[in-house]
Amino acid sequence: MAKMFRSILSGVGHYVPEKIVTNEDLSKIMETSDEWIQLRTGIKERRHFTPGVDTCANMGVKAARVALERAGLSPDDIEFIVFATLSPDYFFPGSGVLVQKELMGDKTVGALDVRDQCSGFVYALSVADQFVKTGMYKHVLVIGSEIHSTGLDMTTRGRGVSVIFGDGAGAAIVSRCEDEGRGILSTHLHSEGQYAEELAVLDPGSSREVRLSKEMIDEATGIYPYMNGNYVFKHAVTRFPEVINEALASNGLSASDLDLLVPHQANLRITTYIRESMNLPEERVVSNIHKYGNTTAASIPIALSEAWEAGRIKPGDLVCLAAFGSGFTWASALIKW
Ligand code: UT7
């Protein structure tokens, strides 16, 4: 077998739009309250994009520039782009090509879009890892970016979902690593499509007789995210510990070996449940949902970048990323930093 390489995250970065939307702000446009949102989700505020300033792709580019600088690399070093989002700029083409245009200019590289919602970043990272491990590429740019705010039902009817989601972007550079002691140790990916409709935006769908009708817009059901909240919650609290333990066990490690767990930020109650059930101290689990809400594919790279900035990740640390969301999909990545 040909020599396999190891891949590391040589740089991480994030970008969030300037506009802060507090729970108080939302309670002025729908029947909700700061108390309800904080108690049920832990969210205090989230960011909403500014039209004309932020796009899904350019927020990813802004996060990527930070990650590149921290990696000591330039856009010229990037050989492949993997872009995870559920809120792309266009129905097609994917946002990855827009990143290629904005970041790389004349240099043409492959750009792949990943559609695995809250698990999107870990899925994207696993793709990058395979390309780097095999020696195909030395540096792959991985982005998770979302604009939820234009796709939410901002009336009382949609409050169960619209108070949760926020906009933002995060990025990582996955690079070839010569040091045997470091790297992405493993990734584990799962899906269970029988639950596809439990958390979904169904319209405009290609399999309908009419892709987008006036009725769809007037009824405003399928065009906004639907979430069977309690149901998703129950699956999440099972799958998160399961996929984290799968990562640890496949590397002969246990929860006590973990220096930092970076879970997808879906709900503070879910994060607290994982932390307690895995017996992890508070300082070993990242939580920033109070500031950004749930930014789906962007949530893990934003949390990772903030944790790195705060000095919570040092060389040699064992870091686990874990996600669960629409699909259902769930995934983990274990990294020796
Ligand atoms: O990121 C992908 C994965 N996503 C998740 O993992 C999310 C999982 N689910 C959740 O986080 C929670 O289910 C939610 C935060 C979405 C909802 O919390 P919950 O504790 O499950 O509340 P609920 O949906 O059971 O609603 C309880 C009550 C209802 O009123 P009644 O029927 O008891 O009178 C809702 O109508 O709260 C009401 N409600 C609200 N009230 C004020 C729902 N949304 C709101 C709101 N403000 N925004």
Side-chain angles (χ1 to χ4, degrees):
M1 205 171 104
K3 176 175 159 41
M4 291 283 271
F5 297 92
R6 282 196 160 218
S7 36
I8 49 158
L9 276 66
S10 57
V12 288
H14 71 282
Y15 167 85
V16 290
E18 236 174 67
K19 187 179 172 194
I20 296 173
V21 177
T22 64
N23 294 344
E24 284 298 336
D25 293 333
L26 293 180
S27 66
K28 286 175 195 145
I29 55 171
M30 63 180 82
E31 280 171 39
T32 190
S33 65
D34 179 46
E35 192 195 359
W36 190 96
I37 301 172
Q38 283 210 50
L39 200 69
R40 303 284 177 137
T41 70
I43 300 166
K44 293 183 179 167
E45 57 189 43
R46 73 286 294 138
R47 302 296 175 107
H48 282 184
F49 92 127
T50 303
V53 174
D54 302 308
T55 68
C56 183
N58 85 16
M59 294 199 308
V61 169
K62 287 172 193 164
R65 289 196 196 280
V66 177
L68 280 166
E69 199 194 323
R70 289 174 180 170
L73 297 169
S74 81
D76 258 0
D77 296 309
I78 297 300
E79 296 163 299
F80 192 60
I81 298 163
V82 193
F83 195 108
T85 189
L86 62 68
S87 51
D89 299 73
Y90 307 132
F91 201 85
F92 76 83
S95 296
V97 301
L98 303 176
V99 172
Q100 181 280 326
K101 179 188 74 170
E102 206 171 321
L103 194 65
M104 324 281 298
D106 290 341
K107 185 179 176 188
T108 64
V109 298
L112 172 75
D113 275 46
V114 164
R115 299 194 48 177
D116 289 283
Q117 298 66 248
C118 304
S119 308
F121 183 79
V122 183
Y123 266 72
L125 193 68
S126 80
V127 172
D129 181 34
Q130 309 313 310
F131 276 119
V132 172
K133 256 195 209 149
T134 54
M136 175 96 177
Y137 298 128
K138 273 191 185 157
H139 302 289
V140 177
L141 168 61
V142 180
I143 292 174
S145 181
E146 305 282 8
I147 294 179
H148 281 288
S149 55
T150 46
L152 299 171
D153 181 355
M154 287 293 187
T155 68
T156 299
R157 181 182 52 194
R159 66 182 181 175
V161 172
S162 52
V163 302
I164 294 169
F165 291 115
D167 304 341
I173 315 296
V174 178
S175 300
R176 184 188 293 181
C177 169
E178 308 291 345
D179 179 351
E180 283 295 312
R182 302 174 61 202
I184 298 175
L185 304 181
S186 64
T187 52
H188 289 90
L189 313 176
H190 296 275
S191 75
E192 208 168 11
Q194 63 170 310
Y195 302 118
E197 286 82 21
E198 301 296 344
L199 174 46
V201 175
L202 301 178
D203 300 321
S206 61
S207 306
R208 301 233 185 283
E209 203 176 330
V210 179
R211 224 176 247 205
L212 188 61
S213 65
K214 190 170 174 309
E215 286 72 35
M216 284 178 196
I217 295 169
D218 290 346
E219 284 165 22
T221 44
I223 59 168
Y224 292 125
Y226 164 77
M227 175 159 71
N228 186 348
N230 291 297
Y231 198 76
V232 175
F233 194 102
K234 281 179 196 145
H235 281 258
V237 293
T238 307
R239 295 307 192 185
F240 266 111
E242 202 177 273
V243 80
I244 296 164
N245 283 323
E246 184 180 13
L248 291 166
S250 74
N251 289 284
L253 297 163
S254 64
S256 58
D257 295 312
L258 270 182
D259 293 297
L260 200 68
L261 173 66
V262 186
H264 163 55
Q265 307 288 304
N267 186 319
L268 182 62
R269 287 189 288 145
I270 294 176
T271 302
T272 305
Y273 178 89
I274 305 167
R275 183 167 58 69
E276 288 175 355
S277 70
M278 299 198 66
N279 213 9
L280 292 167
E282 211 162 326
E283 66 273 13
R284 291 202 191 164
V285 182
V286 176
S287 174
N288 64 0
I289 194 164
H290 55 289
K291 293 194 287 185
Y292 306 126
N294 180 344
T295 57
T296 52
S299 97
I300 289 180
I302 293 174
L304 196 59
S305 171
E306 285 199 337
W308 184 87
E309 277 173 8
R312 293 177 75 181
I313 306 175
K314 290 172 286 305
D317 277 359
L318 187 68
V319 179
C320 185
L321 316 182
F324 176 88
S326 160
F328 293 152
T329 58
W330 61 103
S332 61
L334 198 61
I335 305 159
K336 189 81 175 159
W337 204 269

